[in-house]
PDB file of all heavy atoms in Angstrom:
ATOM      1  N   LEU A 153     -60.925 164.336 -59.585  1.00  0.00           N
ATOM      2  CA  LEU A 153     -62.355 164.602 -59.436  1.00  0.00           C
ATOM      3  C   LEU A 153     -63.047 163.655 -58.463  1.00  0.00           C
ATOM      4  O   LEU A 153     -64.123 163.970 -57.950  1.00  0.00           O
ATOM      5  CB  LEU A 153     -63.043 164.506 -60.808  1.00  0.00           C
ATOM      6  CG  LEU A 153     -62.512 165.464 -61.892  1.00  0.00           C
ATOM      7  CD1 LEU A 153     -63.197 165.173 -63.225  1.00  0.00           C
ATOM      8  CD2 LEU A 153     -62.718 166.918 -61.485  1.00  0.00           C
ATOM      9  N   GLY A 154     -62.435 162.471 -58.241  1.00  0.00           N
ATOM     10  CA  GLY A 154     -63.087 161.457 -57.414  1.00  0.00           C
ATOM     11  C   GLY A 154     -63.983 160.570 -58.257  1.00  0.00           C
ATOM     12  O   GLY A 154     -64.468 160.980 -59.324  1.00  0.00           O
ATOM     13  N   ILE A 155     -64.214 159.342 -57.770  1.00  0.00           N
ATOM     14  CA  ILE A 155     -65.027 158.410 -58.547  1.00  0.00           C
ATOM     15  C   ILE A 155     -65.442 157.234 -57.659  1.00  0.00           C
ATOM     16  O   ILE A 155     -64.773 156.903 -56.685  1.00  0.00           O
ATOM     17  CB  ILE A 155     -64.230 157.894 -59.774  1.00  0.00           C
ATOM     18  CG1 ILE A 155     -65.127 157.088 -60.712  1.00  0.00           C
ATOM     19  CG2 ILE A 155     -63.038 157.065 -59.317  1.00  0.00           C
ATOM     20  CD1 ILE A 155     -64.426 156.682 -62.012  1.00  0.00           C
ATOM     21  N   SER A 156     -66.598 156.612 -58.011  1.00  0.00           N
ATOM     22  CA  SER A 156     -67.016 155.364 -57.375  1.00  0.00           C
ATOM     23  C   SER A 156     -66.848 154.238 -58.388  1.00  0.00           C
ATOM     24  O   SER A 156     -67.282 154.371 -59.536  1.00  0.00           O
ATOM     25  CB  SER A 156     -68.486 155.440 -56.931  1.00  0.00           C
ATOM     26  OG  SER A 156     -68.635 156.329 -55.847  1.00  0.00           O
ATOM     27  N   LEU A 157     -66.222 153.174 -57.977  1.00  0.00           N
ATOM     28  CA  LEU A 157     -65.977 152.063 -58.902  1.00  0.00           C
ATOM     29  C   LEU A 157     -65.894 150.746 -58.127  1.00  0.00           C
ATOM     30  O   LEU A 157     -65.905 150.727 -56.907  1.00  0.00           O
ATOM     31  CB  LEU A 157     -64.704 152.303 -59.727  1.00  0.00           C
ATOM     32  CG  LEU A 157     -63.460 152.862 -59.017  1.00  0.00           C
ATOM     33  CD1 LEU A 157     -62.820 151.832 -58.141  1.00  0.00           C
ATOM     34  CD2 LEU A 157     -62.458 153.343 -60.062  1.00  0.00           C
ATOM     35  N   GLU A 158     -65.794 149.630 -58.863  1.00  0.00           N
ATOM     36  CA  GLU A 158     -65.719 148.306 -58.246  1.00  0.00           C
ATOM     37  C   GLU A 158     -64.291 147.766 -58.315  1.00  0.00           C
ATOM     38  O   GLU A 158     -63.588 147.986 -59.312  1.00  0.00           O
ATOM     39  CB  GLU A 158     -66.671 147.333 -58.941  1.00  0.00           C
ATOM     40  CG  GLU A 158     -68.144 147.629 -58.681  1.00  0.00           C
ATOM     41  CD  GLU A 158     -69.058 146.595 -59.319  1.00  0.00           C
ATOM     42  OE1 GLU A 158     -68.671 146.032 -60.368  1.00  0.00           O
ATOM     43  OE2 GLU A 158     -70.148 146.335 -58.763  1.00  0.00           O
ATOM     44  N   VAL A 159     -63.923 147.055 -57.267  1.00  0.00           N
ATOM     45  CA  VAL A 159     -62.606 146.415 -57.228  1.00  0.00           C
ATOM     46  C   VAL A 159     -62.807 144.919 -56.984  1.00  0.00           C
ATOM     47  O   VAL A 159     -63.797 144.508 -56.361  1.00  0.00           O
ATOM     48  CB  VAL A 159     -61.712 147.016 -56.118  1.00  0.00           C
ATOM     49  CG1 VAL A 159     -61.419 148.479 -56.405  1.00  0.00           C
ATOM     50  CG2 VAL A 159     -62.340 146.839 -54.745  1.00  0.00           C
ATOM     51  N   PRO A 160     -61.874 144.073 -57.455  1.00  0.00           N
ATOM     52  CA  PRO A 160     -62.023 142.632 -57.252  1.00  0.00           C
ATOM     53  C   PRO A 160     -61.647 142.225 -55.822  1.00  0.00           C
ATOM     54  O   PRO A 160     -60.738 142.793 -55.215  1.00  0.00           O
ATOM     55  CB  PRO A 160     -61.038 142.037 -58.252  1.00  0.00           C
ATOM     56  CG  PRO A 160     -59.986 143.085 -58.422  1.00  0.00           C
ATOM     57  CD  PRO A 160     -60.695 144.400 -58.285  1.00  0.00           C
ATOM     58  N   THR A 161     -62.370 141.249 -55.289  1.00  0.00           N
ATOM     59  CA  THR A 161     -62.021 140.608 -54.015  1.00  0.00           C
ATOM     60  C   THR A 161     -62.185 139.100 -54.212  1.00  0.00           C
ATOM     61  O   THR A 161     -62.740 138.652 -55.229  1.00  0.00           O
ATOM     62  CB  THR A 161     -62.922 141.074 -52.859  1.00  0.00           C
ATOM     63  OG1 THR A 161     -64.211 140.468 -52.984  1.00  0.00           O
ATOM     64  CG2 THR A 161     -63.059 142.593 -52.824  1.00  0.00           C
ATOM     65  N   VAL A 162     -61.767 138.304 -53.240  1.00  0.00           N
ATOM     66  CA  VAL A 162     -61.933 136.855 -53.357  1.00  0.00           C
ATOM     67  C   VAL A 162     -63.394 136.451 -53.194  1.00  0.00           C
ATOM     68  O   VAL A 162     -63.776 135.318 -53.504  1.00  0.00           O
ATOM     69  CB  VAL A 162     -61.076 136.114 -52.311  1.00  0.00           C
ATOM     70  CG1 VAL A 162     -59.604 136.206 -52.657  1.00  0.00           C
ATOM     71  CG2 VAL A 162     -61.348 136.635 -50.906  1.00  0.00           C
ATOM     72  N   ASP A 163     -64.226 137.374 -52.718  1.00  0.00           N
ATOM     73  CA  ASP A 163     -65.656 137.101 -52.549  1.00  0.00           C
ATOM     74  C   ASP A 163     -66.498 137.708 -53.666  1.00  0.00           C
ATOM     75  O   ASP A 163     -67.729 137.706 -53.584  1.00  0.00           O
ATOM     76  CB  ASP A 163     -66.133 137.657 -51.198  1.00  0.00           C
ATOM     77  CG  ASP A 163     -65.391 137.032 -50.028  1.00  0.00           C
ATOM     78  OD1 ASP A 163     -65.147 135.812 -50.072  1.00  0.00           O
ATOM     79  OD2 ASP A 163     -65.052 137.765 -49.089  1.00  0.00           O
ATOM     80  N   GLY A 164     -65.855 138.238 -54.696  1.00  0.00           N
ATOM     81  CA  GLY A 164     -66.584 138.914 -55.761  1.00  0.00           C
ATOM     82  C   GLY A 164     -66.149 140.363 -55.855  1.00  0.00           C
ATOM     83  O   GLY A 164     -65.048 140.729 -55.430  1.00  0.00           O
ATOM     84  N   LYS A 165     -67.004 141.213 -56.399  1.00  0.00           N
ATOM     85  CA  LYS A 165     -66.696 142.633 -56.556  1.00  0.00           C
ATOM     86  C   LYS A 165     -67.144 143.414 -55.322  1.00  0.00           C
ATOM     87  O   LYS A 165     -68.128 143.079 -54.675  1.00  0.00           O
ATOM     88  CB  LYS A 165     -67.388 143.198 -57.800  1.00  0.00           C
ATOM     89  CG  LYS A 165     -66.940 142.575 -59.115  1.00  0.00           C
ATOM     90  CD  LYS A 165     -65.529 143.018 -59.491  1.00  0.00           C
ATOM     91  CE  LYS A 165     -65.140 142.517 -60.892  1.00  0.00           C
ATOM     92  NZ  LYS A 165     -63.801 142.960 -61.291  1.00  0.00           N
ATOM     93  N   ALA A 166     -66.400 144.478 -55.036  1.00  0.00           N
ATOM     94  CA  ALA A 166     -66.760 145.376 -53.941  1.00  0.00           C
ATOM     95  C   ALA A 166     -66.675 146.806 -54.442  1.00  0.00           C
ATOM     96  O   ALA A 166     -65.745 147.166 -55.172  1.00  0.00           O
ATOM     97  CB  ALA A 166     -65.838 145.176 -52.744  1.00  0.00           C
ATOM     98  N   LYS A 167     -67.661 147.644 -54.049  1.00  0.00           N
ATOM     99  CA  LYS A 167     -67.697 149.027 -54.518  1.00  0.00           C
ATOM    100  C   LYS A 167     -66.934 149.917 -53.541  1.00  0.00           C
ATOM    101  O   LYS A 167     -67.116 149.827 -52.333  1.00  0.00           O
ATOM    102  CB  LYS A 167     -69.148 149.501 -54.644  1.00  0.00           C
ATOM    103  CG  LYS A 167     -69.309 150.821 -55.381  1.00  0.00           C
ATOM    104  CD  LYS A 167     -70.780 151.120 -55.650  1.00  0.00           C
ATOM    105  CE  LYS A 167     -70.936 152.386 -56.474  1.00  0.00           C
ATOM    106  NZ  LYS A 167     -72.363 152.674 -56.769  1.00  0.00           N
ATOM    107  N   VAL A 168     -66.090 150.783 -54.093  1.00  0.00           N
ATOM    108  CA  VAL A 168     -65.341 151.736 -53.273  1.00  0.00           C
ATOM    109  C   VAL A 168     -65.513 153.137 -53.846  1.00  0.00           C
ATOM    110  O   VAL A 168     -65.727 153.307 -55.041  1.00  0.00           O
ATOM    111  CB  VAL A 168     -63.839 151.381 -53.203  1.00  0.00           C
ATOM    112  CG1 VAL A 168     -63.624 150.056 -52.507  1.00  0.00           C
ATOM    113  CG2 VAL A 168     -63.215 151.376 -54.594  1.00  0.00           C
ATOM    114  N   THR A 169     -65.412 154.116 -52.981  1.00  0.00           N
ATOM    115  CA  THR A 169     -65.524 155.515 -53.386  1.00  0.00           C
ATOM    116  C   THR A 169     -64.179 156.190 -53.205  1.00  0.00           C
ATOM    117  O   THR A 169     -63.600 156.163 -52.100  1.00  0.00           O
ATOM    118  CB  THR A 169     -66.586 156.241 -52.550  1.00  0.00           C
ATOM    119  OG1 THR A 169     -67.860 155.614 -52.778  1.00  0.00           O
ATOM    120  CG2 THR A 169     -66.679 157.697 -52.943  1.00  0.00           C
ATOM    121  N   ILE A 170     -63.689 156.791 -54.298  1.00  0.00           N
ATOM    122  CA  ILE A 170     -62.409 157.481 -54.268  1.00  0.00           C
ATOM    123  C   ILE A 170     -62.685 158.979 -54.142  1.00  0.00           C
ATOM    124  O   ILE A 170     -63.288 159.586 -55.045  1.00  0.00           O
ATOM    125  CB  ILE A 170     -61.591 157.207 -55.550  1.00  0.00           C
ATOM    126  CG1 ILE A 170     -61.482 155.699 -55.810  1.00  0.00           C
ATOM    127  CG2 ILE A 170     -60.221 157.863 -55.447  1.00  0.00           C
ATOM    128  CD1 ILE A 170     -60.799 154.927 -54.739  1.00  0.00           C
ATOM    129  N   PRO A 171     -62.295 159.600 -53.040  1.00  0.00           N
ATOM    130  CA  PRO A 171     -62.552 161.035 -52.872  1.00  0.00           C
ATOM    131  C   PRO A 171     -61.750 161.855 -53.882  1.00  0.00           C
ATOM    132  O   PRO A 171     -60.702 161.422 -54.374  1.00  0.00           O
ATOM    133  CB  PRO A 171     -62.085 161.327 -51.439  1.00  0.00           C
ATOM    134  CG  PRO A 171     -61.953 159.988 -50.781  1.00  0.00           C
ATOM    135  CD  PRO A 171     -61.637 159.025 -51.868  1.00  0.00           C
ATOM    136  N   SER A 172     -62.240 163.033 -54.191  1.00  0.00           N
ATOM    137  CA  SER A 172     -61.496 163.939 -55.077  1.00  0.00           C
ATOM    138  C   SER A 172     -60.188 164.346 -54.410  1.00  0.00           C
ATOM    139  O   SER A 172     -60.103 164.481 -53.193  1.00  0.00           O
ATOM    140  CB  SER A 172     -62.336 165.184 -55.388  1.00  0.00           C
ATOM    141  OG  SER A 172     -62.642 165.885 -54.192  1.00  0.00           O
ATOM    142  N   GLY A 173     -59.159 164.488 -55.207  1.00  0.00           N
ATOM    143  CA  GLY A 173     -57.848 164.885 -54.688  1.00  0.00           C
ATOM    144  C   GLY A 173     -57.077 163.742 -54.049  1.00  0.00           C
ATOM    145  O   GLY A 173     -56.119 163.983 -53.310  1.00  0.00           O
ATOM    146  N   THR A 174     -57.461 162.508 -54.341  1.00  0.00           N
ATOM    147  CA  THR A 174     -56.740 161.361 -53.777  1.00  0.00           C
ATOM    148  C   THR A 174     -55.337 161.286 -54.364  1.00  0.00           C
ATOM    149  O   THR A 174     -55.147 161.368 -55.581  1.00  0.00           O
ATOM    150  CB  THR A 174     -57.502 160.052 -54.062  1.00  0.00           C
ATOM    151  OG1 THR A 174     -58.750 160.091 -53.380  1.00  0.00           O
ATOM    152  CG2 THR A 174     -56.715 158.842 -53.578  1.00  0.00           C
ATOM    153  N   GLN A 175     -54.338 161.124 -53.473  1.00  0.00           N
ATOM    154  CA  GLN A 175     -52.942 161.123 -53.896  1.00  0.00           C
ATOM    155  C   GLN A 175     -52.439 159.700 -54.148  1.00  0.00           C
ATOM    156  O   GLN A 175     -52.927 158.735 -53.540  1.00  0.00           O
ATOM    157  CB  GLN A 175     -52.078 161.768 -52.804  1.00  0.00           C
ATOM    158  CG  GLN A 175     -52.456 163.193 -52.469  1.00  0.00           C
ATOM    159  CD  GLN A 175     -52.317 164.121 -53.656  1.00  0.00           C
ATOM    160  OE1 GLN A 175     -51.372 164.003 -54.441  1.00  0.00           O
ATOM    161  NE2 GLN A 175     -53.261 165.045 -53.809  1.00  0.00           N
ATOM    162  N   PRO A 176     -51.457 159.544 -55.046  1.00  0.00           N
ATOM    163  CA  PRO A 176     -50.822 158.233 -55.224  1.00  0.00           C
ATOM    164  C   PRO A 176     -50.210 157.769 -53.903  1.00  0.00           C
ATOM    165  O   PRO A 176     -49.668 158.567 -53.146  1.00  0.00           O
ATOM    166  CB  PRO A 176     -49.724 158.512 -56.261  1.00  0.00           C
ATOM    167  CG  PRO A 176     -50.152 159.752 -56.959  1.00  0.00           C
ATOM    168  CD  PRO A 176     -50.896 160.565 -55.948  1.00  0.00           C
ATOM    169  N   GLY A 177     -50.311 156.478 -53.618  1.00  0.00           N
ATOM    170  CA  GLY A 177     -49.793 155.937 -52.368  1.00  0.00           C
ATOM    171  C   GLY A 177     -50.826 155.893 -51.256  1.00  0.00           C
ATOM    172  O   GLY A 177     -50.567 155.319 -50.195  1.00  0.00           O
ATOM    173  N   THR A 178     -51.999 156.502 -51.511  1.00  0.00           N
ATOM    174  CA  THR A 178     -53.080 156.413 -50.527  1.00  0.00           C
ATOM    175  C   THR A 178     -53.530 154.950 -50.406  1.00  0.00           C
ATOM    176  O   THR A 178     -53.585 154.225 -51.400  1.00  0.00           O
ATOM    177  CB  THR A 178     -54.272 157.293 -50.946  1.00  0.00           C
ATOM    178  OG1 THR A 178     -53.839 158.653 -51.011  1.00  0.00           O
ATOM    179  CG2 THR A 178     -55.426 157.178 -49.960  1.00  0.00           C
ATOM    180  N   VAL A 179     -53.840 154.539 -49.185  1.00  0.00           N
ATOM    181  CA  VAL A 179     -54.248 153.154 -48.941  1.00  0.00           C
ATOM    182  C   VAL A 179     -55.667 153.120 -48.393  1.00  0.00           C
ATOM    183  O   VAL A 179     -55.983 153.823 -47.434  1.00  0.00           O
ATOM    184  CB  VAL A 179     -53.282 152.464 -47.947  1.00  0.00           C
ATOM    185  CG1 VAL A 179     -53.831 151.109 -47.531  1.00  0.00           C
ATOM    186  CG2 VAL A 179     -51.908 152.296 -48.582  1.00  0.00           C
ATOM    187  N   LEU A 180     -56.508 152.328 -49.031  1.00  0.00           N
ATOM    188  CA  LEU A 180     -57.851 152.060 -48.526  1.00  0.00           C
ATOM    189  C   LEU A 180     -57.871 150.627 -48.008  1.00  0.00           C
ATOM    190  O   LEU A 180     -57.112 149.776 -48.466  1.00  0.00           O
ATOM    191  CB  LEU A 180     -58.885 152.240 -49.627  1.00  0.00           C
ATOM    192  CG  LEU A 180     -58.898 153.601 -50.352  1.00  0.00           C
ATOM    193  CD1 LEU A 180     -59.951 153.602 -51.452  1.00  0.00           C
ATOM    194  CD2 LEU A 180     -59.141 154.745 -49.379  1.00  0.00           C
ATOM    195  N   ARG A 181     -58.777 150.348 -47.060  1.00  0.00           N
ATOM    196  CA  ARG A 181     -58.802 149.021 -46.445  1.00  0.00           C
ATOM    197  C   ARG A 181     -60.227 148.472 -46.430  1.00  0.00           C
ATOM    198  O   ARG A 181     -61.146 149.135 -45.936  1.00  0.00           O
ATOM    199  CB  ARG A 181     -58.252 149.107 -45.022  1.00  0.00           C
ATOM    200  CG  ARG A 181     -58.029 147.756 -44.356  1.00  0.00           C
ATOM    201  CD  ARG A 181     -57.413 147.954 -42.983  1.00  0.00           C
ATOM    202  NE  ARG A 181     -56.038 148.396 -43.061  1.00  0.00           N
ATOM    203  CZ  ARG A 181     -54.982 147.589 -43.079  1.00  0.00           C
ATOM    204  NH1 ARG A 181     -55.180 146.270 -43.023  1.00  0.00           N
ATOM    205  NH2 ARG A 181     -53.763 148.061 -43.147  1.00  0.00           N
ATOM    206  N   LEU A 182     -60.381 147.264 -46.972  1.00  0.00           N
ATOM    207  CA  LEU A 182     -61.659 146.553 -46.905  1.00  0.00           C
ATOM    208  C   LEU A 182     -61.543 145.493 -45.816  1.00  0.00           C
ATOM    209  O   LEU A 182     -60.805 144.519 -45.958  1.00  0.00           O
ATOM    210  CB  LEU A 182     -61.978 145.894 -48.249  1.00  0.00           C
ATOM    211  CG  LEU A 182     -62.115 146.836 -49.455  1.00  0.00           C
ATOM    212  CD1 LEU A 182     -62.412 146.034 -50.720  1.00  0.00           C
ATOM    213  CD2 LEU A 182     -63.205 147.874 -49.229  1.00  0.00           C
ATOM    214  N   ARG A 183     -62.254 145.702 -44.711  1.00  0.00           N
ATOM    215  CA  ARG A 183     -62.136 144.829 -43.558  1.00  0.00           C
ATOM    216  C   ARG A 183     -62.682 143.419 -43.843  1.00  0.00           C
ATOM    217  O   ARG A 183     -63.707 143.254 -44.491  1.00  0.00           O
ATOM    218  CB  ARG A 183     -62.894 145.429 -42.369  1.00  0.00           C
ATOM    219  CG  ARG A 183     -62.358 146.786 -41.902  1.00  0.00           C
ATOM    220  CD  ARG A 183     -61.010 146.637 -41.227  1.00  0.00           C
ATOM    221  NE  ARG A 183     -60.487 147.922 -40.770  1.00  0.00           N
ATOM    222  CZ  ARG A 183     -59.294 148.088 -40.224  1.00  0.00           C
ATOM    223  NH1 ARG A 183     -58.504 147.022 -40.090  1.00  0.00           N
ATOM    224  NH2 ARG A 183     -58.887 149.279 -39.836  1.00  0.00           N
ATOM    225  N   ASN A 184     -61.935 142.420 -43.353  1.00  0.00           N
ATOM    226  CA  ASN A 184     -62.355 141.009 -43.424  1.00  0.00           C
ATOM    227  C   ASN A 184     -62.557 140.506 -44.856  1.00  0.00           C
ATOM    228  O   ASN A 184     -63.374 139.624 -45.095  1.00  0.00           O
ATOM    229  CB  ASN A 184     -63.632 140.784 -42.616  1.00  0.00           C
ATOM    230  CG  ASN A 184     -63.443 141.116 -41.146  1.00  0.00           C
ATOM    231  OD1 ASN A 184     -62.438 140.765 -40.542  1.00  0.00           O
ATOM    232  ND2 ASN A 184     -64.419 141.818 -40.578  1.00  0.00           N
ATOM    233  N   LYS A 185     -61.800 141.057 -45.782  1.00  0.00           N
ATOM    234  CA  LYS A 185     -61.851 140.592 -47.166  1.00  0.00           C
ATOM    235  C   LYS A 185     -60.561 139.869 -47.554  1.00  0.00           C
ATOM    236  O   LYS A 185     -60.328 139.607 -48.730  1.00  0.00           O
ATOM    237  CB  LYS A 185     -62.083 141.770 -48.126  1.00  0.00           C
ATOM    238  CG  LYS A 185     -63.453 142.404 -48.013  1.00  0.00           C
ATOM    239  CD  LYS A 185     -64.544 141.457 -48.463  1.00  0.00           C
ATOM    240  CE  LYS A 185     -65.920 142.118 -48.450  1.00  0.00           C
ATOM    241  NZ  LYS A 185     -66.983 141.164 -48.869  1.00  0.00           N
ATOM    242  N   GLY A 186     -59.745 139.530 -46.539  1.00  0.00           N
ATOM    243  CA  GLY A 186     -58.481 138.858 -46.800  1.00  0.00           C
ATOM    244  C   GLY A 186     -58.568 137.364 -46.586  1.00  0.00           C
ATOM    245  O   GLY A 186     -59.580 136.727 -46.905  1.00  0.00           O
ATOM    246  N   ILE A 187     -57.516 136.789 -46.005  1.00  0.00           N
ATOM    247  CA  ILE A 187     -57.376 135.338 -45.847  1.00  0.00           C
ATOM    248  C   ILE A 187     -57.576 134.962 -44.380  1.00  0.00           C
ATOM    249  O   ILE A 187     -57.067 135.641 -43.481  1.00  0.00           O
ATOM    250  CB  ILE A 187     -55.981 134.897 -46.319  1.00  0.00           C
ATOM    251  CG1 ILE A 187     -55.824 135.208 -47.813  1.00  0.00           C
ATOM    252  CG2 ILE A 187     -55.750 133.412 -46.068  1.00  0.00           C
ATOM    253  CD1 ILE A 187     -54.436 134.975 -48.350  1.00  0.00           C
ATOM    254  N   PRO A 188     -58.319 133.889 -44.103  1.00  0.00           N
ATOM    255  CA  PRO A 188     -58.484 133.443 -42.711  1.00  0.00           C
ATOM    256  C   PRO A 188     -57.144 133.075 -42.076  1.00  0.00           C
ATOM    257  O   PRO A 188     -56.238 132.583 -42.755  1.00  0.00           O
ATOM    258  CB  PRO A 188     -59.387 132.207 -42.835  1.00  0.00           C
ATOM    259  CG  PRO A 188     -60.095 132.385 -44.144  1.00  0.00           C
ATOM    260  CD  PRO A 188     -59.108 133.076 -45.039  1.00  0.00           C
ATOM    261  N   ASP A 189     -57.042 133.272 -40.775  1.00  0.00           N
ATOM    262  CA  ASP A 189     -55.836 132.924 -40.026  1.00  0.00           C
ATOM    263  C   ASP A 189     -55.820 131.419 -39.787  1.00  0.00           C
ATOM    264  O   ASP A 189     -56.736 130.878 -39.173  1.00  0.00           O
ATOM    265  CB  ASP A 189     -55.832 133.686 -38.695  1.00  0.00           C
ATOM    266  CG  ASP A 189     -54.537 133.508 -37.917  1.00  0.00           C
ATOM    267  OD1 ASP A 189     -53.735 132.622 -38.286  1.00  0.00           O
ATOM    268  OD2 ASP A 189     -54.328 134.247 -36.941  1.00  0.00           O
ATOM    269  N   ILE A 190     -54.765 130.733 -40.264  1.00  0.00           N
ATOM    270  CA  ILE A 190     -54.672 129.285 -40.129  1.00  0.00           C
ATOM    271  C   ILE A 190     -54.621 128.864 -38.665  1.00  0.00           C
ATOM    272  O   ILE A 190     -54.995 127.747 -38.299  1.00  0.00           O
ATOM    273  CB  ILE A 190     -53.414 128.748 -40.876  1.00  0.00           C
ATOM    274  CG1 ILE A 190     -53.355 127.213 -40.860  1.00  0.00           C
ATOM    275  CG2 ILE A 190     -52.160 129.326 -40.273  1.00  0.00           C
ATOM    276  CD1 ILE A 190     -54.464 126.541 -41.583  1.00  0.00           C
ATOM    277  N   ASN A 191     -54.174 129.767 -37.785  1.00  0.00           N
ATOM    278  CA  ASN A 191     -54.077 129.450 -36.361  1.00  0.00           C
ATOM    279  C   ASN A 191     -55.408 129.577 -35.641  1.00  0.00           C
ATOM    280  O   ASN A 191     -55.487 129.363 -34.436  1.00  0.00           O
ATOM    281  CB  ASN A 191     -53.046 130.369 -35.693  1.00  0.00           C
ATOM    282  CG  ASN A 191     -51.646 130.116 -36.215  1.00  0.00           C
ATOM    283  OD1 ASN A 191     -51.246 128.969 -36.374  1.00  0.00           O
ATOM    284  ND2 ASN A 191     -50.925 131.174 -36.511  1.00  0.00           N
ATOM    285  N   GLY A 192     -56.461 129.927 -36.358  1.00  0.00           N
ATOM    286  CA  GLY A 192     -57.789 129.987 -35.750  1.00  0.00           C
ATOM    287  C   GLY A 192     -58.170 131.374 -35.296  1.00  0.00           C
ATOM    288  O   GLY A 192     -57.922 132.370 -35.984  1.00  0.00           O
ATOM    289  N   TYR A 193     -58.763 131.423 -34.134  1.00  0.00           N
ATOM    290  CA  TYR A 193     -59.236 132.670 -33.526  1.00  0.00           C
ATOM    291  C   TYR A 193     -60.355 133.324 -34.330  1.00  0.00           C
ATOM    292  O   TYR A 193     -60.752 134.446 -34.058  1.00  0.00           O
ATOM    293  CB  TYR A 193     -58.086 133.674 -33.347  1.00  0.00           C
ATOM    294  CG  TYR A 193     -56.860 133.085 -32.720  1.00  0.00           C
ATOM    295  CD1 TYR A 193     -55.661 133.012 -33.432  1.00  0.00           C
ATOM    296  CD2 TYR A 193     -56.896 132.561 -31.427  1.00  0.00           C
ATOM    297  CE1 TYR A 193     -54.535 132.446 -32.868  1.00  0.00           C
ATOM    298  CE2 TYR A 193     -55.770 131.995 -30.859  1.00  0.00           C
ATOM    299  CZ  TYR A 193     -54.586 131.944 -31.586  1.00  0.00           C
ATOM    300  OH  TYR A 193     -53.470 131.379 -31.039  1.00  0.00           O
ATOM    301  N   ASN A 194     -60.852 132.632 -35.365  1.00  0.00           N
ATOM    302  CA  ASN A 194     -61.970 133.139 -36.169  1.00  0.00           C
ATOM    303  C   ASN A 194     -61.669 134.521 -36.738  1.00  0.00           C
ATOM    304  O   ASN A 194     -62.532 135.390 -36.817  1.00  0.00           O
ATOM    305  CB  ASN A 194     -63.255 133.181 -35.316  1.00  0.00           C
ATOM    306  CG  ASN A 194     -64.507 133.189 -36.174  1.00  0.00           C
ATOM    307  OD1 ASN A 194     -64.497 132.688 -37.301  1.00  0.00           O
ATOM    308  ND2 ASN A 194     -65.579 133.770 -35.658  1.00  0.00           N
ATOM    309  N   GLN A 195     -60.417 134.738 -37.125  1.00  0.00           N
ATOM    310  CA  GLN A 195     -60.005 136.031 -37.663  1.00  0.00           C
ATOM    311  C   GLN A 195     -59.700 135.912 -39.148  1.00  0.00           C
ATOM    312  O   GLN A 195     -59.290 134.858 -39.627  1.00  0.00           O
ATOM    313  CB  GLN A 195     -58.771 136.554 -36.922  1.00  0.00           C
ATOM    314  CG  GLN A 195     -59.044 136.919 -35.467  1.00  0.00           C
ATOM    315  CD  GLN A 195     -57.797 137.447 -34.773  1.00  0.00           C
ATOM    316  OE1 GLN A 195     -56.693 137.310 -35.279  1.00  0.00           O
ATOM    317  NE2 GLN A 195     -57.986 138.051 -33.625  1.00  0.00           N
ATOM    318  N   ARG A 196     -59.875 137.020 -39.844  1.00  0.00           N
ATOM    319  CA  ARG A 196     -59.593 137.064 -41.269  1.00  0.00           C
ATOM    320  C   ARG A 196     -58.910 138.386 -41.584  1.00  0.00           C
ATOM    321  O   ARG A 196     -59.224 139.419 -40.980  1.00  0.00           O
ATOM    322  CB  ARG A 196     -60.896 136.928 -42.061  1.00  0.00           C
ATOM    323  CG  ARG A 196     -60.708 136.826 -43.564  1.00  0.00           C
ATOM    324  CD  ARG A 196     -62.025 136.521 -44.256  1.00  0.00           C
ATOM    325  NE  ARG A 196     -61.889 136.580 -45.697  1.00  0.00           N
ATOM    326  CZ  ARG A 196     -62.870 136.347 -46.562  1.00  0.00           C
ATOM    327  NH1 ARG A 196     -64.076 136.020 -46.102  1.00  0.00           N
ATOM    328  NH2 ARG A 196     -62.674 136.430 -47.864  1.00  0.00           N
ATOM    329  N   GLY A 197     -57.957 138.351 -42.491  1.00  0.00           N
ATOM    330  CA  GLY A 197     -57.245 139.563 -42.860  1.00  0.00           C
ATOM    331  C   GLY A 197     -58.099 140.511 -43.675  1.00  0.00           C
ATOM    332  O   GLY A 197     -59.287 140.282 -43.917  1.00  0.00           O
TER     333      GLY A 197
END
């Protein structure tokens, strides 16, 4: 049916929307919610 819910991140909770008919193995991506690059470049996963 689809649903909107919250998922944990290192910065707190983030809201995501799951479309109806979502299949197992589907991947969603939250940009810049990962780990900073130790080598610099001001980038984050």
Side-chain angles (χ1 to χ4, degrees):
L153 301 175
I155 189 174
S156 290
L157 43 73
E158 290 183 330
V159 296
T161 75
V162 289
D163 300 320
K165 297 288 186 179
K167 192 171 184 179
V168 296
T169 298
I170 308 299
S172 61
T174 295
Q175 301 299 321
T178 299
V179 171
L180 305 178
R181 189 177 289 269
L182 299 179
R183 298 289 180 184
N184 299 317
K185 292 293 184 181
I187 297 173
D189 187 348
I190 185 64
N191 295 317
Y193 312 116
N194 201 27
Q195 293 181 346
R196 186 173 173 179

